[in-house]
Amino acid sequence: MLTFAEKERECERIFEKSGPFWHLYTDGRVMEDFLCTEEDFKIAMTALAVAAVLFKKVRIITFELMSNHIHMILNGEAEDCLELFERFKARLRRILKTNGRIINWDAFKADILPIETLNALRNEIIYANRNAFVANPQFTPFNYPWGGGCAFFQPYFNRLPARSLRELGFNKARELTHFREIRLIEDLKFFGDIVFIPSFCRTDIGESMFRDARSYFNSLTRNAEAFSQIAQRLKDSVFLTDEEMYAAATMYAENTYGNRQLSLLNPEQKIQLSKELHFKYNASNQQIRRLLKLDIGILNELFPQQSS
């Protein structure tokens, strides 16, 4: 068994050997919902998979497809990462148009930020894998089907009866991929009619950046400060769940007022705490209202841009 320090050195070695890494993302605040049904998500994930297999200059470490935006942690040169996005976008746009979907794609533009340290890469991977979990209480970082997070440290994935395109047959392969030259993408596999994530997403590289499964699991909900910094870089809105926001609020209240019971704080203390949650953790007015039982009218006056 390797010691903690030995595991950490091995992660550092792999990181230095494998770079550079990037966080590519789009802005959901300016883009309409373009993935609205399960079929849309299947099409989008397959379009990404086909683009990734055809364009081998970039490796996808993890990704998350949301209704109006995406996150991808990528390994390669910056210009190649942007080229992968453009190929994915063009393929998705063409397929959805064929299906009768009229979408304004002008706002679907990618920004890309460098990831320069091992610790930063760990946090960015986790941030991406948490995206749906934060947005929708139906999901955890382990069960959202339209991203790489569900395959991280999940040994059962390799036991799933995924079938190669060759096994599926030419006609079925074309139907699933919306691509004619099947020989060029024969490395892809499908589990039912859903593209098999490990056949195009290098979650194994992502896993190798963590000491072990336990360190990955512990980081999923215990790094609010890092999530705050990433959200500021990405100009993201919500990045903590109500439960995580509550933990941050009680910690601040205990450290500042010597009282963990939010209901016992006086009005002045609640106002000060609301500012801490808003400016440091980007809490919405509704989150603050639920946690501190403050009047929504007061919160809308304090933070007018967070009126919902």
Side-chain angles (χ1 to χ4, degrees):
M1 295 289 291
L2 297 178
T3 66
F4 179 96
E6 289 170 336
K7 290 180 179 180
E8 194 69 8
R9 282 196 296 270
E10 179 63 11
C11 292
E12 286 282 2
R13 184 191 69 78
I14 296 172
F15 173 80
E16 293 296 335
K17 178 183 177 182
S18 304
F21 294 94
W22 309 86
H23 191 152
L24 183 148
Y25 63 99
T26 64
D27 190 345
R29 298 171 301 174
V30 298
M31 181 63 187
E32 64 181 285
D33 286 358
F34 59 95
L35 301 179
C36 303
T37 67
E38 182 174 301
E39 186 62 26
D40 289 344
F41 278 97
K42 289 179 183 178
I43 289 170
M45 195 158 73
T46 303
L48 179 60
V50 171
V53 170
L54 289 174
F55 192 65
K56 300 184 182 300
K57 293 182 179 181
V58 175
R59 297 189 291 190
I60 300 175
I61 305 304
T62 194
F63 68 98
E64 199 96 337
L65 300 177
M66 302 293 287
S67 61
N68 59 8
H69 70 282
I70 67 168
H71 290 273
M72 289 195 282
I73 307 302
L74 303 174
N75 174 215
E77 299 301 324
E79 59 271 23
D80 292 330
C81 293
L82 290 169
E83 174 65 18
L84 173 64
F85 169 79
E86 291 299 331
R87 292 182 178 217
F88 160 64
K89 176 181 175 180
R91 181 170 298 281
L92 179 60
R93 178 172 53 191
R94 177 179 58 79
I95 298 170
L96 292 183
K97 183 178 179 180
T98 301
N99 288 355
R101 296 287 304 284
I102 305 302
I103 298 167
N104 182 356
W105 294 96
D106 293 345
F108 192 52
K109 298 177 180 179
D111 288 305
I112 190 168
L113 294 171
I115 304 173
E116 297 175 337
T117 67
L118 171 62
N119 195 52
L121 178 58
R122 289 168 172 168
N123 290 333
E124 301 275 356
I125 288 172
I126 288 171
Y127 188 92
N129 288 349
R130 281 169 45 92
N131 209 242
F133 158 69
V134 172
N136 190 327
Q138 296 182 25
F139 297 112
T140 76
F142 293 105
N143 75 349
Y144 185 66
W146 317 117
C150 63
F152 267 66
F153 294 102
Q154 298 283 10
Y156 78 87
F157 246 77
N158 293 325
R159 301 190 183 99
L160 293 175
R163 303 174 67 192
S164 69
L165 292 180
R166 185 177 300 174
E167 290 176 294
L168 290 171
F170 186 76
N171 291 334
K172 186 64 175 179
R174 275 190 169 184
E175 175 190 335
L176 289 173
T177 62
H178 300 273
F179 188 71
R180 296 183 63 84
E181 300 295 330
I182 299 303
R183 62 181 178 80
L184 299 178
I185 58 171
E186 60 184 7
D187 290 340
L188 280 182
K189 294 182 178 181
F190 277 76
F191 178 58
D193 60 351
I194 298 176
V195 68
F196 188 55
I197 290 170
S199 69
F200 72 94
C201 179
R202 295 298 304 273
T203 55
D204 58 317
I205 296 177
E207 291 175 352
S208 71
M209 299 300 160
F210 296 87
R211 290 184 298 276
D212 46 41
R214 179 188 293 171
S215 69
Y216 173 79
F217 180 82
N218 286 339
S219 299
L220 281 169
T221 56
R222 297 186 180 182
N223 212 346
E225 296 286 343
F227 302 152
S228 173
Q229 294 171 9
I230 295 171
Q232 289 174 17
R233 287 213 308 164
L234 275 56
K235 299 180 177 61
D236 251 351
S237 52
V238 178
F239 58 89
L240 294 181
T241 65
D242 279 7
E243 290 80 6
E244 291 169 330
M245 198 71 72
Y246 177 79
T250 55
M251 181 178 296
Y252 179 88
E254 182 176 37
N255 293 338
T256 307
Y257 310 121
N259 183 2
R260 289 182 59 87
Q261 296 188 50
L262 302 183
S263 61
L264 298 182
L265 299 179
N266 63 45
E268 182 179 346
Q269 291 171 334
K270 287 187 177 182
I271 292 297
Q272 182 58 41
L273 176 52
S274 71
K275 293 178 180 178
E276 172 76 5
L277 298 178
H278 172 83
F279 291 112
K280 187 171 184 179
Y281 298 108
N282 213 26
S284 70
N285 286 359
Q286 290 294 349
Q287 279 185 310
I288 297 171
R289 179 191 63 79
R290 290 192 292 269
L291 292 175
L292 301 183
K293 303 298 187 290
L294 283 171
D295 184 83
I296 192 64
I298 295 174
L299 294 172
N300 289 343
E301 288 184 12
L302 285 171
F303 318 117
Q305 72 275 26
Q306 292 277 355
S307 59
S308 62

